[in-house]
Amino acid sequence: MSKIDSFIFDLGGVLIDWNPEYVFLKEFNGDRKKMQWFLDNICTMAWNENQDAGYPIAKATEDLVLKFPEYETLIRMYYGRWVEMLGGPISGTVNVLKKLVSSKKFKVVALTNWSTETFPIAREKFEFLKWFKGIVVSGEEKTRKPFEDIFNITLSRYNITAENAIFIDDNLRNVEAANQLGLNGIQFINPDKLIDDLKQYNITIND
């Protein structure tokens, strides 16, 4: 096993609780089935990821309104009330991050699929984002996970060797893409599972 000297963290779903449900469940009066249909068929994750890769939010919104005019009010809510989709930090993972950074044994960076238009809100809200050596934001790079380009940008920019790095992401698709490039991918389930998974790399996070 290669010696681990670097960590690459995803943000949303790993360190930051982000969920469109925080807006739309109320709008659908608690009807989870109707809300899920809307998120699966109208304001989809694929549509959101297009903005994460640099497509302008205003243009994306108008495109969708044109396609689904009967859902205009709800479509405009997606980015109009985007800040309400941001929950708090996932404190257990923030604690892991803090231990890794303070140990000074590792280079710790972030790689996030996030629109360049909304990321400044997160930067202001979450102090721990300042702990990273650097953050690669997909919207700024005009590409996103799971595409190879964004991983290569991250490795090159911060002089990271893939086999010496652990990549942590809640999306299995992204973890599998990282593994293909020689990174040591861990799918994030919850903070306790992450702490347990790190033990296989002889990395112990103490309380």
Side-chain angles (χ1 to χ4, degrees):
M1 187 186 294
S2 299
K3 179 172 170 53
I4 300 300
D5 61 19
S6 303
F7 278 84
I8 304 170
F9 275 83
D10 177 34
L11 296 180
V14 174
L15 284 154
I16 296 170
D17 177 18
W18 176 85
N19 199 326
E21 176 181 309
Y22 295 147
V23 168
F24 290 107
L25 193 57
K26 296 175 209 162
E27 293 303 317
F28 284 96
N29 298 310
D31 190 325
R32 192 169 290 279
K33 190 174 178 184
K34 284 185 178 176
M35 176 200 71
Q36 202 55 54
W37 183 91
F38 175 77
L39 294 174
D40 288 344
N41 293 278
I42 310 297
C43 288
T44 64
M45 283 310 295
W47 174 74
N48 176 68
E49 282 187 328
N50 203 34
Q51 285 68 267
D52 287 349
Y55 196 73
I57 284 173
K59 180 86 168 67
T61 301
E62 297 311 319
D63 291 348
L64 210 59
V65 167
L66 202 60
K67 193 174 179 184
F68 301 108
E70 66 275 31
Y71 293 102
E72 178 174 2
T73 302
L74 289 168
I75 290 167
R76 293 193 186 283
M77 276 180 197
Y78 195 95
Y79 287 108
R81 294 174 57 188
W82 182 89
V83 71
E84 294 174 46
M85 298 179 192
L86 271 183
I90 299 172
S91 58
T93 324
V94 174
N95 184 54
V96 171
L97 173 66
K98 187 175 186 179
K99 296 288 173 63
L100 292 172
V101 171
S102 61
S103 76
K104 302 193 187 308
K105 294 178 185 174
F106 308 103
K107 187 180 296 177
V108 186
V109 304
L111 169 56
T112 184
N113 280 359
W114 209 304
S115 164
T116 189
E117 295 178 65
T118 55
F119 192 63
I121 298 168
R123 271 197 198 274
E124 195 170 314
K125 185 176 173 72
F126 300 106
E127 182 68 21
F128 63 80
L129 294 180
K130 295 175 183 171
W131 301 349
F132 290 105
K133 182 175 179 63
I135 301 175
V136 176
V137 179
S138 62
E140 294 173 3
E141 307 301 334
K142 303 294 191 285
T143 184
R144 62 171 174 81
K145 296 174 288 184
F147 301 123
E148 185 174 336
D149 283 357
I150 201 157
F151 289 102
N152 287 335
I153 286 166
T154 306
L155 295 173
S156 172
R157 185 170 296 167
Y158 298 107
N159 194 27
I160 293 170
T161 303
E163 57 264 32
N164 295 340
I166 291 175
F167 171 74
I168 302 162
D169 198 301
D170 61 318
N171 190 319
L172 182 59
R173 173 198 68 178
N174 298 337
V175 172
E176 289 173 343
N179 287 337
Q180 288 291 317
L181 295 172
L183 284 150
N184 300 283
I186 294 177
Q187 185 183 15
F188 179 82
I189 307 297
N190 59 54
D192 288 339
K193 176 79 164 50
L194 174 60
I195 289 168
D196 202 45
D197 289 340
L198 289 175
K199 288 176 184 172
Q200 67 180 299
Y201 297 96
N202 297 318
I203 295 168
T204 304
I205 305 295
N206 298 313
D207 290 331

